[in-house]
Each structure stands twice: as structure tokens, then as C-alpha cells.
Amino acid sequence: MRRRLVLTAVSLGAIVRPTLAQTPAAVAPSRVGEIKSLGNDRYLIGRIVVNKRGRSLAVPGRVNVIDKPLEYLATTPDGRRAYESLLTLDTGGSELNLACILIGLERDPRAPLSQPLSQPGPLVLLSVAWTDAAGQRRQVSAAEALLGVDASAKDAAIDWAYTGSFSSIDGKHLAADQTGSLISFVKKDPSGIFEAVSGVGLGAYGTVRGNASLPPEGSPIELVVEAAVPRK
């Protein structure tokens, strides 16, 4: 079983790496951590827990920035735009992308693998979870985590889509690994794994600063991703 899973990870990684301009040879190839079976169709990829049957995954991370202008829901800790990201996640782009594939998220099969997607991919539900001071688990939608409970109905209904990033011409370097971009919500970032279908805070830089009811900066959280269907 373990051998088959590892081979699947490699082959799927090759499938989802559409291409970007050639990356310098000095940059290390994108890597995926060991895949371990947790039983009951659940797997561990690096630190990501994947529930394949339930079509969901959970990624550990931390609250990164609150009360400063934001343009990203999440990046890697060393991401180029981490300074304006609400969360940093303990994963790389390749690991997160593979986890998404295992829960059934796919790029548009008609889109050339050599280019970023021109249209949003399948919809997902994103939420942020943490344990409060009383030891109780709390979980809010990504929209509430960004905008707070006073957000307008329109903003509170943010649609998020899987886009899958893209890779260098030789297929060795996933863009999300190089930029650290994972989830954007203002400008479409083709190197990310997810994006808001319609931009949030467009033309009003600085208005999205994170929900003050989230735990303090540096506190542990989980980003929860669930496969979704379009709203009627």
C-alpha cells in the first residue's frame, strides 16, 4: 500500500504541474513529504491530514498578521507576500496541491497544462479552526476570519476556488513552492493553490485586516478545506 501511495504522489504531481518560465537550476526541485496511511481512507502528507472519503483536509499553521492591510488568506512562512497574509501554513505548495488532488479537486481538463488557469477551478469551502482559552474548538469561515462578523452579506459569501498553481518548463518547480503563495483574495495570483473567485477589498486597500476575535498573532490554527459545489 505504501509503495502504491508514493507512486501515486509522484504521478499526480507530474499531472498538476502546468508551466511557468524556466526557474534557475540552482533552485531545489519541489518536494512532497512522506505519505502515511492513517486508516479509514485518511492520510498524512507532511503535516496535512487528508480525509479522502470525506473530501476534506486540514493544514496546521499560525495566525500571522492582524490589523494590517491583507491581500492573502494564507502563504508559507517564508512566502514573498507573508507580510500581508492573515495566516502562514506549515506546508509547501506541492504538498497542499497533492492533498487537494487526493480529495478530488482537479484543474479544468481542457486547460493547457503549460499555462495558469484563465477561469476559476472547482469551488471549495475554507474555514479557520483553533482551540480557545477554555479548551473549546472554534471554527469560522474564511470570510469571517478575514472580515469579521460585521461583514456585508455580499462579502461574507466569498466563493473560493482551487486553481492548482503551475510549474517550470521542466516540471520540477511548482510556482507555489517558489513564491510561497497559497491562497489569495485581492489580486488573482496564478502561482497560488486557491483564490477568491471575485476579489475582496478591490479598490479599497487596507480595509481587510483580519477578524480581531481570532487568537493573537503567532497562535496555532488549522485551515480546513472541503470540496464544495456551486451555489444555486
Side-chain angles (χ1 to χ4, degrees):
M1 173 64 73
R2 183 173 177 183
R3 176 183 176 86
R4 184 166 57 188
L5 284 172
V6 171
L7 290 175
T8 300
V10 172
S11 60
L12 287 175
I15 291 173
V16 295
R17 289 175 183 163
T19 34
L20 135 272
Q22 184 70 45
T23 308
V27 178
S30 301
R31 290 188 174 90
V32 173
E34 182 180 5
I35 301 176
K36 300 179 181 178
S37 174
L38 301 176
N40 297 319
D41 232 4
R42 296 171 68 248
Y43 303 94
L44 186 67
I45 303 177
R47 297 189 62 191
I48 303 174
V49 176
V50 178
N51 183 338
K52 186 176 180 181
R53 187 179 306 169
R55 300 193 69 198
S56 66
L57 60 91
V59 193
R62 285 161 297 284
V63 177
N64 181 53
V65 170
I66 293 180
D67 201 27
K68 293 180 182 178
L70 302 175
E71 292 196 357
Y72 288 78
L73 176 65
T75 66
T76 61
D78 58 353
R80 296 176 185 173
R81 307 294 290 277
Y83 65 92
E84 51 188 356
S85 177
L86 178 67
L87 312 172
T88 57
L89 302 181
D90 297 330
T91 188
S94 290
E95 285 185 340
L96 182 56
N97 205 29
L98 176 57
C100 290
I101 293 171
L102 290 181
I103 66 172
L105 299 177
E106 298 179 356
R107 291 171 54 88
D108 184 344
R110 298 166 297 179
L113 293 180
S114 60
Q115 300 174 13
L117 291 179
S118 58
Q119 297 295 327
L123 295 182
V124 295
L125 302 176
L126 301 181
S127 56
V128 180
W130 70 94
T131 301
D132 65 20
Q136 300 296 312
R137 180 177 173 87
R138 296 188 57 191
Q139 187 165 335
V140 300
S141 70
E144 186 175 340
L146 283 169
L147 302 165
V149 295
D150 296 327
S152 68
K154 178 181 178 181
D155 285 337
I158 300 172
D159 281 326
W160 302 92
Y162 166 76
T163 54
S165 193
F166 59 106
S167 73
S168 58
I169 293 172
D170 60 13
K172 294 180 179 180
H173 310 288
L174 194 67
D177 288 321
Q178 305 306 311
T179 65
S181 298
L182 298 177
I183 310 172
S184 61
F185 64 83
V186 177
K187 302 173 183 175
K188 294 184 182 296
D189 185 339
S191 70
I193 305 297
F194 302 101
E195 66 180 30
V197 175
S198 299
V200 180
L202 293 173
Y205 180 76
T207 58
V208 180
R209 291 174 169 262
N211 188 339
S213 68
L214 290 174
E217 293 179 2
S219 300
I221 53 85
E222 279 187 341
L223 176 80
V224 179
V225 180
E226 302 170 85
V229 295
R231 291 193 183 91
K232 297 292 185 179

